[in-house]
């Protein structure tokens, strides 16, 4: 069913009894043209764009839990395209444009809120580096504004501008950045893909890949074998484990990233703010909670929970930037499995196995990439060629020395 003002009024007057499930509870068919492993935002978006852009509808998305049970439902919901390097800017800007048209495209309220993303700078050197980033963005047609201290104060007056160690000198603002409701993005893509005939199969784990003579034939699952002409692997933090089923060793480590949600407050922060003297980012949800996060837990792990040391580090950053947070009560925190690549940039590519495609290495930033990653992976699977916007995200770039190291942190996944 389609969402419209008419449907809203009709259901309001009839006890909300007319709504239908957003997607079918599909059972696996013996075979599909394309199987996507992983029912996060990326996997569902890939299935949707395969159906919408290429009319490939004999598609299954296979998810071991419920859709959105991975990072798609655990992130801090920030979307932006404030990247600097040539390989990244066109991709993330494609993503931003897809966010801007997403709600009409999916006919679903994904609560895209372009409230602005403000990165604080604290020294002259950092100002120069932010000016360089802003210039690179503007050359590529992306919006960026370098703000002086007083302009930042007008936007976010309660920051600790005169902090003795980290005084705030200004910020780089992308007004088109902001937040989107992460669950709604999953539900929106699932519903739209289902309406085009895609089977979404939940509670079905892929336990093996059937490969013969170097070609993918299908996937072994907890609900039996499912044949496939092509397979897309889109499992974020589980990338290395699933790729190992095809004998691949990826340039990716799994780390835990924690997120935090506070008690609800009256509206206080109306944009996304990031600390420039440490790793900390914060926004306020529509329910009033402050939503924030910081650094990774520094060691590789597959546990979806974080350590107390990182918890404390995030709180120290929080209070250094926003002293009023010291009186805030935290309601919940949780961890998600992050697929950290060696250069901090993602991979969307074919693999050495014929018909097997890979999407991963999203590090901290895969939520904002959800529409563009699905768009570009669908393009690759359907056409056999990389989408121009994702042409740099090849697996062999590490062997070629063509890394895309946005942060300049070198080959240390936990530092990106
Ligand atoms: C705490 C936290 C905060 C974050 N904040 C942001 C942010 O503010 N902005 C941003 O851009 N990004 C953020 N991210 C990163 C972002 O959430 C991820 O990069 C992105 O969600 C990954 O893509 P996905 O949604 O498809 O992954 P997921 O939702 O993790 O989807 C992968 C799916 O694969 C499934 N799966 C795994 N193995 C198998 C198997 N064998 N068989 C079947 N299914 C399998 C999993 O169950 C999972 O549902 C954050 C991440 C975390 C953890």
């Amino acid at each position: 069913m389609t969402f419209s003002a008419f449907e809203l009024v009709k259901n309001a007057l009839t006890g909300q009894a007319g709504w239908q499930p957003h997607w079918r509870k599909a059972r696996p068919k013996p075979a599909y043209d394309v199987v996507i492993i992983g029912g996060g935002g990326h996997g569902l978006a890939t299935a949707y764009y395969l159906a919408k852009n290429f009319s490939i509808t004999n598609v299954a998305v296979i998810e071991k839990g419920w859709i959105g049970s991975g990072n798609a439902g655990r992130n801090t919901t920030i979307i932006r395209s404030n990247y600097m390097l040539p390989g990244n800017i066109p991709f993330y800007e494609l993503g931003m444009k897809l966010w801007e048209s997403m709600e009409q495209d999916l006919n679903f309220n994904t609560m895209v809120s372009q409230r602005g993303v403000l990165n604080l700078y604290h020294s002259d050197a950092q100002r120069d580096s932010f000016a360089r980033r802003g210039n690179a963005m503007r050359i590529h047609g992306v919006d960026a504004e370098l703000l002086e201290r007083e302009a930042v104060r007008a936007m976010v007056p309660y920051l600790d501008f005169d902090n003795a160690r980290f005084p705030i000198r200004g910020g780089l603002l992308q007004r088109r950045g902001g937040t989107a409701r992460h669950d709604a993005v999953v539900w929106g893509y699932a519903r739209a893909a289902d309406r085009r005939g895609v089977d979404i199969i939940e509670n079905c784990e892929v336990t093996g890949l059937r490969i013969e003579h170097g070609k993918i034939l299908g996937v072994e699952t907890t609900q039996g074998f499912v044949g496939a002409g092509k397979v897309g692997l889109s499992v974020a933090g589980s990338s290395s484990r699933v790729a190992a089923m095809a004998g691949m060793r990826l340039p990716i480590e799994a780390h835990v990233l924690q997120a935090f949600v506070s008690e609800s407050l009256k509206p206080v922060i109306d944009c996304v703010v990031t600390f420039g003297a440490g790793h900390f980012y914060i926004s306020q949800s529509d329910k009033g909670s402050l939503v924030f996060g910081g650094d990774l837990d520094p060691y590789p792990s597959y546990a979806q929970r974080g350590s107390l040391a990182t918890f404390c580090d995030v709180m120290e950053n929080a209070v250094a930037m926003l002293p009023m947070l010291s009186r805030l009560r935290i309601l919940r925190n949780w961890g998600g499995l992050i697929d950290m690549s060696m250069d901090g940039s993602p991979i969307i590519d074919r693999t050495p196995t014929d018909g097997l495609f890979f999407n991963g290495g999203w590090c901290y930033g895969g939520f904002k990439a959800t529409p563009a990653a699905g768009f570009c992976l669908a393009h690759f699977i359907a056409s056999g060629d990389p989408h121009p916007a994702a042409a740099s995200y090849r697996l062999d770039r590490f062997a070629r020395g063509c890394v895309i190291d946005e942060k300049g942190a070198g080959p240390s996944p936990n530092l990106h």
Side-chain angles (χ1 to χ4, degrees):
M1 69 192 300
T2 304
F3 286 114
S4 63
F6 174 73
E7 285 292 342
L8 283 175
V9 173
K10 191 178 95 182
N11 279 284
L13 297 175
T14 54
Q16 307 290 355
W19 301 112
Q20 292 159 11
H22 285 334
W23 60 90
R24 294 164 291 130
K25 297 262 173 249
R27 306 291 303 169
K29 293 195 291 197
Y32 292 89
D33 293 338
V34 180
V35 164
I36 305 293
I37 309 174
H42 289 216
L44 292 163
T46 305
Y48 170 67
Y49 291 117
L50 277 170
K52 182 188 171 207
N53 295 352
F54 300 97
S55 302
I56 301 174
T57 54
N58 187 21
V59 175
V61 177
I62 299 186
E63 164 57 46
K64 74 174 175 185
W66 64 93
I67 58 166
S69 57
N71 291 344
R74 292 167 186 262
N75 62 68
T76 41
T77 76
I78 299 168
I79 60 173
R80 58 187 171 87
S81 59
N82 55 358
Y83 281 75
M84 190 177 74
L85 297 182
N88 280 332
I89 295 184
F91 175 81
Y92 285 100
E93 184 53 15
L94 168 69
M96 187 53 77
K97 293 205 166 81
L98 290 169
W99 282 112
E100 286 169 334
S101 57
M102 178 181 282
E103 291 171 347
Q104 289 72 25
D105 188 25
L106 302 182
N107 178 236
F108 202 86
N109 181 9
T110 51
M111 297 169 71
V112 175
S113 166
Q114 293 182 289
R115 58 184 71 182
V117 173
L118 175 66
N119 306 125
L120 302 176
Y121 63 80
H122 305 262
S123 66
D124 290 346
Q126 200 172 22
R127 180 186 192 281
D128 290 350
S129 108
F130 278 25
R132 181 171 172 235
R133 175 177 297 271
N135 286 336
M137 290 163 64
R138 291 170 76 132
I139 287 168
H140 284 82
V142 183
D143 66 307
E145 291 166 50
L146 194 67
L147 303 184
E148 297 296 337
R149 179 184 164 102
E150 291 315 310
V152 172
R153 199 193 290 277
M155 272 183 78
V156 209
Y158 34 77
L159 299 177
D160 191 2
F161 286 87
D162 300 313
N163 184 298
R165 290 174 72 198
F166 313 119
I168 294 165
R169 304 249 189 256
L172 182 67
L173 174 66
Q174 185 184 23
R175 286 192 196 273
R176 287 165 61 241
T179 59
R181 171 77 200 271
H182 51 11
D183 301 312
V185 173
V186 170
W187 301 329
Y189 273 120
R191 171 174 169 274
D194 176 88
R195 291 175 88 187
R196 289 177 183 266
V198 171
D199 280 357
I200 297 167
I201 302 160
E202 296 177 84
N203 301 308
C204 179
E205 180 169 358
V206 171
T207 52
L209 301 174
R210 192 178 290 180
I211 297 167
E212 273 180 27
H213 308 299
K215 173 156 182 26
I216 191 89
L217 299 182
V219 297
E220 310 285 352
T221 79
T222 47
Q223 295 186 30
F225 175 73
V226 181
K230 294 176 181 176
V231 172
L233 205 163
S234 206
V235 292
S238 300
S239 290
S240 295
R241 286 207 287 213
V242 181
M245 297 173 190
M248 291 171 68
R249 186 159 179 253
L250 295 174
I252 288 177
E253 277 181 9
H255 282 260
V256 179
L257 178 63
Q258 302 188 52
F260 305 82
V261 165
S262 77
E263 61 188 329
S264 290
L265 305 181
K266 288 184 178 173
V268 58
I269 301 179
D270 63 358
C271 59
V272 179
V273 192
T274 74
F275 193 35
H279 200 162
F280 179 73
Y281 40 92
I282 188 163
S283 64
Q284 188 164 19
S285 78
D286 294 335
K287 286 188 289 188
S289 304
L290 301 187
V291 181
F292 54 92
D295 253 330
L296 294 174
D297 280 50
Y299 46 85
S301 169
Y302 282 104
Q304 292 197 89
R305 61 177 185 276
S307 70
L308 183 62
T310 303
F311 188 118
C312 296
D313 180 67
V314 173
M315 297 308 155
E316 283 167 12
N317 279 272
V319 174
M321 187 178 99
L322 267 161
M324 70 170 180
L325 296 188
S326 63
R327 297 173 62 196
L328 190 71
R329 276 172 291 212
I330 305 299
L331 284 192
R332 291 183 290 129
N333 87 303
W334 60 87
L337 269 187
I338 296 287
D339 36 337
M340 298 299 297
S341 68
M342 288 290 154
D343 60 358
S345 293
I347 297 158
I348 301 178
D349 205 352
R350 61 164 64 85
T351 71
T353 301
D354 189 16
L356 178 64
F357 295 80
F358 177 74
N359 164 52
W362 290 99
C363 305
Y364 285 77
F367 177 63
K368 73 174 98 62
T370 301
F375 196 91
C376 292
L377 181 60
H379 182 281
F380 214 145
I381 291 174
S383 71
D385 291 316
H387 188 279
S392 302
Y393 295 156
R394 311 304 298 270
L395 254 173
D396 68 357
R397 71 173 184 267
F398 301 96
R400 289 185 286 116
C402 298
V403 292
I404 313 170
D405 188 350
E406 186 84 23
K407 210 168 163 186
S412 306
N414 59 313
L415 298 181
H416 285 288

